[in-house]
Amino acid sequence: MRDTESVSVTDDNPPWYARNPSGSINCSGVPDRLIDHPELLRRGIVLIDSMKPGVVFRSLVQDGGPAGRGFVVKVLDLADEELKVYERLLGCIDSPQNHTIPCEIVRDGHPMLIMPMLSRIDATISQQCNQLSDLVDIFYQLIEGVGYLHQHHIAHMDLCFGNVGAALSIPASYHPSLTLGKVYIYDFNTSRQFTRGPGHQHAIALPESQTSPPDGITHFDPYSWDVYCIGHLLDELMDIYAERHSSAPWPLRWYARWLIGHERGCRTVCRCRPTARTALRVMSIICSSVSALEWCSALCRKVSHTLFGYS
């Protein structure tokens, strides 16, 4: 819906709200300054509604473009580090270990991002994980992506359902920048960059996030906080997997709880859980074990069918 507001050219940082004719905020609407944005018009992108009022908007392609070709447009807040983080990570987007969502930084006027729309990670688990190896592959990719951020001294600070997604068959077919089946991380508006890396960085004050800290703790080693959050995310993803497959294997439950750890409120370097690097090594062993077990299981079924006619 087109709004009737007059936007000040000095009012650049989001939120950019659309307004109803009465003057009230239209939380699901798109402001005129984005509807008429020359870079979006040039790309044939039509914004249809807001995913996060005043900040994140979703779009479709006009002029007969594929109906499934969705985009996400995010207006960047220059008061945080998101723009600088994306600039760094997009500079090495071709690295297989980099799970940053491929996107374009538009600098015509106030900076914003144009990103492909991904499938939600929970939908990926419920719809695409037909066997255990599919689940552990997603786990591996998530840990790998976090480890890559930490390798570059970047802490995401808000890893959760809403900030990770996957490229399934439909979006990947319309967005050649995506790798089919790859898991991506995005939304770096609370992220921080540090001089010190994991094992050397002291605790900082936690920003607002989707994950609640344990025991009301307000300061956390930022890298350890990411591992804590990803542990909770993996635990929740296993609940979704278990709804379809009756249960989630106990080694994966143990793994998630290992990442969550037993927080002691460390104000210096945290030792309450593994680093992302160590967690990735263990997950690599789990992936290999699961692959071997599934191969053996498939072989046994084939032999049984050949010798005894069992399926």
Side-chain angles (χ1 to χ4, degrees):
M1 177 182 291
R2 199 176 182 88
D3 72 283
T4 58
E5 67 178 337
S6 175
V7 181
S8 169
V9 294
T10 61
D11 184 22
D12 282 337
N13 270 345
W16 291 3
Y17 291 123
R19 294 191 179 274
N20 296 310
S22 65
S24 61
I25 291 175
N26 178 2
C27 290
S28 63
V30 180
D32 280 351
R33 64 191 304 186
L34 285 179
I35 291 175
D36 299 328
H37 196 288
E39 285 300 310
L40 298 182
L41 293 174
R42 184 175 67 82
R43 290 167 173 80
I45 294 176
V46 178
L47 301 174
I48 57 173
D49 60 15
S50 173
M51 301 175 69
K52 181 179 180 180
V55 180
V56 183
F57 306 84
R58 62 176 180 170
S59 57
L60 295 174
V61 173
Q62 62 180 180
D63 298 329
R69 189 178 179 182
F71 290 86
V72 174
V73 175
K74 181 173 186 178
V75 183
L76 295 173
D77 190 336
L78 300 184
D80 57 44
E81 297 186 45
E82 186 164 23
L83 175 58
K84 294 180 180 179
V85 168
Y86 271 113
E87 287 174 336
R88 287 184 60 195
L89 294 174
L90 292 177
C92 45
I93 196 65
D94 292 332
S95 171
Q97 293 77 37
N98 187 351
H99 288 260
T100 307
I101 186 172
C103 58
E104 182 180 357
I105 302 173
V106 175
R107 302 178 187 274
D108 183 1
H110 187 86
M112 62 184 184
L113 299 176
I114 299 178
M115 303 172 279
M117 185 175 293
L118 301 176
S119 299
R120 286 174 55 94
I121 196 67
D122 50 342
T124 302
I125 296 291
S126 62
Q127 299 171 15
Q128 301 292 322
C129 286
N130 297 315
Q131 52 190 7
L132 188 57
S133 56
D134 297 330
L135 180 67
V136 296
D137 176 65
I138 290 174
F139 284 13
Y140 183 90
Q141 291 193 59
L142 286 170
I143 300 297
E144 181 179 57
V146 174
Y148 188 84
L149 296 179
H150 292 182
Q151 179 185 339
H152 289 76
H153 296 186
I154 298 170
H156 187 280
M157 304 302 292
D158 194 18
L159 291 161
C160 62
F161 273 129
N163 293 338
V164 295
L168 301 183
S169 57
I170 295 177
S173 65
Y174 292 122
H175 298 286
S177 61
L178 297 176
T179 299
L180 183 63
K182 187 166 183 176
V183 175
Y184 292 100
I185 300 173
Y186 42 88
D187 277 0
F188 293 91
N189 54 290
T190 59
S191 299
R192 294 282 303 277
Q193 302 176 87
F194 300 96
T195 301
R196 297 176 177 178
H200 302 281
Q201 174 62 44
H202 290 191
I204 64 169
L206 287 175
E208 291 186 7
S209 68
Q210 301 299 311
T211 304
S212 299
D215 302 321
I217 291 174
T218 59
H219 287 70
F220 230 97
D221 173 335
Y223 302 112
S224 189
W225 173 249
D226 276 357
V227 175
Y228 175 84
C229 291
I230 209 71
H232 277 286
L233 176 58
L234 299 188
D235 205 38
E236 293 171 1
L237 292 177
M238 276 185 284
D239 289 339
I240 297 173
Y241 179 85
E243 291 177 0
R244 181 179 177 188
H245 299 273
S246 301
S247 65
W250 70 262
L252 292 183
R253 289 289 187 188
W254 168 86
Y255 181 83
R257 304 291 164 75
W258 180 51
L259 299 191
I260 294 170
H262 300 283
E263 182 58 38
R264 297 185 293 271
C266 308
R267 283 294 185 128
T268 56
V269 177
C270 186
R271 309 292 183 188
C272 301
R273 59 195 53 81
T275 63
R277 182 179 180 182
T278 299
L280 185 63
R281 290 173 176 171
V282 174
M283 180 51 65
S284 180
I285 295 172
I286 294 175
C287 288
S288 298
S289 300
V290 168
S291 295
L293 287 172
E294 289 185 349
W295 182 85
C296 290
S297 178
L299 180 62
C300 289
R301 288 195 301 269
K302 183 177 181 180
V303 171
S304 297
H305 178 73
T306 302
L307 296 179
F308 309 108
Y310 298 152
S311 58

